[in-house]
Amino acid sequence: MSTNQWFLLVGCLMLARGLAATTISRSPFTSAIVYLGVGILLGPTLLNIFGFDPKRESALLEIMAQIALLISLFSAGIKMPVPFKLKRWDAPLRLAWISMTLTVALVALFGYYVLQLPAGAAVLLGGILAPTDPVLATDVQVRHAGDKDQLRFTLTCEAGMNDGSAFPFVLLGLGMLGLPEAGGHHLHWLLVDVLWGTVGAILVGVAAGAGVARLGWQLRIVEPKHEIMDDLVGLGMIGVVYGVASLCKTSGFLAVFFAAVALRQTELILAGAPKDRHGLMEPDTAKSEVAQASETHEAPQVVSTEALAFKEHLERLSELTLVLLLGGMISLRQMDWQAVGTAAFLFLVARPLSVFAGLAGSATSLRMRAMTGWFGVRGIGSIFYLMFAVEAGLPAALAEQLTRIALFVVMLSILVHGFSVKPLMDTLWRRT
């Protein structure tokens, strides 16, 4: 396809999505299914108008997926409730580390014993498929900053953290395959990639988020008051936090998520935002203590709220582009038992078992655990780690096999979870 044809295709999809927003919201399928269907229709499966080779374009696809993830993680972090309470975050923390680790282990065992993959490749496949997706799972994630739904919060928070917590297992798999740039798979992996990668990322993110929040607040209240371009501040913070975290050998994804969390936490605390009956701060700073004390009864704007709408628009554009390309990367004629079997094992065995094991002893209900166990959408995070592995020097035969399996798992996740999300969520709300 030519550049003009790409502009025409993407422009038509954006127009259709924008004009049919109400229709799609009332339909039994998600927007990602529409993009995927268009990609499959125009791709190698049917009309073969365009194709996208993930192995040849792995560098470009890695960057595109990376940008989409960073924007989505920042948006997810901004929507987290304020103030931070360990009791409320207990379930997401268990899911992001305990359940995610168990998912990697189960998928690795399946890959080693059933798919007959080398041990390193099996662990790598587990790391690629374990993280849930913050980009494609918008229908089961927090919709706005004041959303108090426990299931949405749990899934959003989990997706915000487990893209970072899965990275050490991707490195472990690459190291076991003998790739020198991936590092070792011994004490160095545990101390540097796991412990420091996690703790360091949280420290970098919290420090940056709180620092930017305080600086922006001071600039808005001191005389003479300063105008702040919130969108650029948000994007700039994503870039700086990710760069600093990566230079410090920590998880950039985890750092960006916690930077957004700290940004919002700090801004609402500085504003003295009122609390609701659940003890959570309201996102409307116009009702805050600072607003009530001012002559105009208005509080300064905050970066987290003003930048959120812009980030969500970028997130939608990323979803459209990457899912459309996914349709051009696959041919349904090449789907085999390995891809279908891996997807079935992941959706019906590995994810539910890991969720129930990870949440054992927690305060979450059985119904909440069952819903959480089903809604483990795979997507852009899996594509990023797959392309990261290809770029790291994954052997050609393994790269082709893992690419085929992972891309079909993502496609099946979009379809299976996409068609089930609205009926199941409607059922949950009716019973709540």
Side-chain angles (χ1 to χ4, degrees):
M1 290 178 64
S2 67
T3 303
N4 290 335
Q5 290 172 324
W6 273 110
F7 272 109
L8 181 62
L9 174 59
V10 174
C12 286
L13 284 175
M14 292 173 66
L15 277 173
R17 176 65 178 91
L19 294 174
T22 300
T23 303
I24 292 178
S25 66
R26 294 173 178 173
S27 65
F29 51 81
T30 63
S31 57
I33 293 178
V34 177
Y35 308 147
L36 178 63
V38 173
I40 291 175
L41 173 65
L42 300 179
T45 299
L46 293 173
L47 300 180
N48 200 26
I49 294 176
F50 85 93
F52 193 83
D53 189 342
K55 296 182 291 297
R56 183 180 303 172
E57 304 291 345
S58 58
L60 173 62
L61 194 56
E62 180 186 1
I63 294 174
M64 293 175 64
Q66 187 178 32
I67 293 173
L69 277 177
L70 289 172
I71 293 172
S72 184
L73 291 171
F74 186 83
S75 298
I78 284 176
K79 298 173 187 175
M80 293 298 98
V82 181
F84 174 89
K85 293 183 178 180
L86 187 59
K87 181 179 179 180
R88 184 175 177 83
W89 281 59
D90 177 61
L93 288 169
R94 288 167 174 257
L95 292 171
W97 271 274
I98 299 175
S99 297
M100 195 278 306
T101 302
L102 291 174
T103 303
V104 173
L106 290 171
V107 172
L109 289 173
F110 181 85
Y112 184 76
Y113 287 105
V114 179
L115 303 181
Q116 300 296 305
L117 291 172
V123 172
L124 176 60
L125 181 64
I128 290 172
L129 297 179
T132 55
D133 196 76
V135 181
L136 300 182
T138 53
D139 289 280
V140 291
Q141 294 189 1
V142 171
R143 292 176 172 175
H144 51 80
D147 192 343
K148 299 179 177 63
D149 183 88
Q150 182 61 34
L151 177 61
R152 292 186 184 278
F153 161 72
T154 300
L155 292 170
T156 305
C157 193
E158 177 199 9
M161 291 185 288
N162 67 12
D163 278 299
S165 58
F167 187 50
F169 292 98
V170 174
L171 293 178
L172 176 62
L174 292 173
M176 293 172 65
L177 289 171
L179 299 181
E181 295 184 2
H185 54 277
H186 36 70
L187 186 61
H188 176 273
W189 174 79
L190 179 62
L191 295 178
V192 177
D193 295 332
V194 178
L195 295 180
W196 169 243
T198 300
V199 175
I202 296 174
L203 292 175
V204 170
V206 170
V212 170
R214 293 184 179 278
L215 177 60
W217 188 262
Q218 288 297 319
L219 290 174
R220 280 181 162 131
I221 64 174
V222 298
E223 297 293 343
K225 296 181 180 179
H226 291 68
E227 293 286 339
I228 295 178
M229 300 179 69
D230 299 293
D231 293 338
L232 288 182
V233 171
L235 289 173
M237 194 172 79
I238 291 174
V240 170
V241 170
Y242 186 82
V244 171
S246 299
L247 289 173
C248 295
K249 304 299 182 182
T250 68
S251 172
F253 291 146
L254 203 59
V256 168
F257 175 74
F258 276 100
V261 173
L263 175 70
R264 178 166 179 76
Q265 298 274 329
T266 305
E267 285 184 330
L268 290 192
I269 291 173
L270 289 172
K275 296 182 178 180
D276 62 13
R277 59 188 180 88
H278 301 289
L280 301 177
M281 288 184 169
E282 299 286 356
D284 186 5
T285 55
K287 301 177 182 179
S288 67
E289 297 175 6
V290 174
Q292 298 302 317
S294 67
E295 295 181 359
T296 60
H297 295 288
E298 294 181 356
Q301 295 176 319
V302 292
V303 173
S304 57
T305 300
E306 299 303 315
L308 181 56
F310 180 64
K311 303 297 183 298
E312 288 182 336
H313 294 325
L314 293 177
E315 191 175 2
R316 291 191 186 99
L317 178 59
S318 301
E319 175 190 13
L320 185 156
T321 305
L322 288 167
V323 176
L324 179 65
L325 290 178
L326 175 63
M329 285 188 274
I330 60 178
S331 173
L332 295 182
R333 291 186 290 270
Q334 296 178 351
M335 186 164 60
D336 56 15
W337 73 268
Q338 289 189 336
V340 177
T342 302
F345 178 79
L346 178 63
F347 302 160
L348 302 177
V349 179
R351 170 69 179 180
L353 281 180
S354 64
V355 167
F356 273 86
L359 294 179
S362 69
T364 55
S365 65
L366 289 178
R367 184 173 63 180
M368 183 71 69
R369 296 181 195 185
M371 294 287 283
T372 304
W374 174 244
F375 289 125
V377 182
R378 267 61 190 178
I380 308 305
S382 296
I383 293 176
F384 169 77
Y385 283 128
L386 174 64
M387 294 302 105
F388 177 87
V390 173
E391 283 294 293
L394 194 64
L398 277 178
E400 182 177 355
Q401 184 179 12
L402 295 186
T403 297
R404 186 182 68 256
I405 293 173
L407 293 183
F408 276 115
V409 168
V410 172
M411 181 202 72
L412 291 171
S413 179
I414 292 174
L415 294 174
V416 172
H417 294 116
F419 277 114
S420 63
V421 55
K422 292 183 180 180
L424 288 177
M425 291 298 288
D426 289 343
T427 301
L428 175 65
W429 285 334
R430 284 196 296 268
R431 293 181 179 178
T432 302

